[in-house]
Amino acid sequence: AGPATTGRASEANAVGEEHFNLLSLPALTSVDRARIVAEVRQWIGTPYRHQASLKGIGCDCLGLIRGVWRALYGAEPESTPAYAPDWAEATATDALAAAARRHMTEIDPAAFAPGDLLLFRWRTGFPAKHAAIATACDLMVHAHDGAAVAEVAIAPWWRRRLAYAFRFPGVG
């Protein structure tokens, strides 16, 4: 998930991070880890659909996070523009992490807990472009191309690619 691109890095960079807002902070409601985990688990089985964000209908990894946010905090006050599947490679910027940083509390990736947002990079030196929500110290829920939203083990393969972790607003 990310900024709109046509595959050309110069156009993608022209879009700029200001147009890529992961989520924005509305008035806080009572949010705790158990509520986040319960909400994200309700998305399990939702088909993968690029750019979508509708529980039971379709979502991609960013759409899953957006949908959980809406359930927890209300409507998204900022829109996410259309984006190509290769947005991260085209822009070579960590726009997903920057957007999360603007609206959530960054934490040490080794210290994540259930209910925290996890961002992964496919290779060292590349931008983080995959998102999931931890449901336990060894489990996460994510949307992955070609599969339905699932809860999976945070196996060594995933741990090696974990680049960032963020805490939702109002969660201690």
Side-chain angles (χ1 to χ4, degrees):
T5 68
T6 60
R8 293 183 298 209
S10 61
E11 286 183 14
N13 285 333
V15 170
E17 282 186 14
E18 67 275 9
H19 294 289
F20 183 74
N21 293 305
L22 174 66
L23 308 165
S24 190
L25 180 61
L28 290 177
T29 60
S30 177
V31 175
D32 61 24
R33 294 180 181 287
R35 185 167 170 215
I36 297 166
V37 170
E39 177 58 34
V40 75
R41 283 181 170 153
Q42 289 181 29
W43 287 71
I44 292 173
T46 298
Y48 181 89
R49 298 283 184 267
H50 179 65
Q51 296 187 37
S53 183
L54 294 171
K55 187 188 320 180
I57 304 298
C59 68
D60 60 11
C61 66
L62 176 58
L64 173 65
I65 307 310
R66 292 173 49 223
V68 168
W69 181 280
R70 287 191 308 269
L72 298 172
Y73 302 104
E76 299 168 60
E78 299 180 32
S79 62
T80 301
Y83 48 89
D86 69 344
W87 69 267
E89 294 83 356
T91 64
T93 64
D94 251 326
L96 188 58
R101 199 173 283 124
R102 287 192 300 269
H103 306 291
M104 303 173 98
T105 302
E106 188 168 5
I107 58 171
D108 179 345
F112 74 83
D116 289 338
L117 172 68
L118 308 177
L119 299 182
F120 301 89
R121 66 177 86 245
W122 298 135
R123 287 184 286 194
T124 302
F126 279 69
K129 68 175 286 183
H130 188 65
I133 294 178
T135 54
C137 65
D138 59 350
L139 296 171
M140 67 182 187
V141 172
H142 73 135
H144 198 294
D145 190 11
V149 173
E151 185 167 34
V152 301
I154 305 174
W157 189 92
W158 285 109
R159 289 190 187 275
R160 285 191 305 272
R161 289 160 176 80
L162 180 59
Y164 302 96
F166 296 89
R167 192 139 298 148
F168 279 84
V171 175

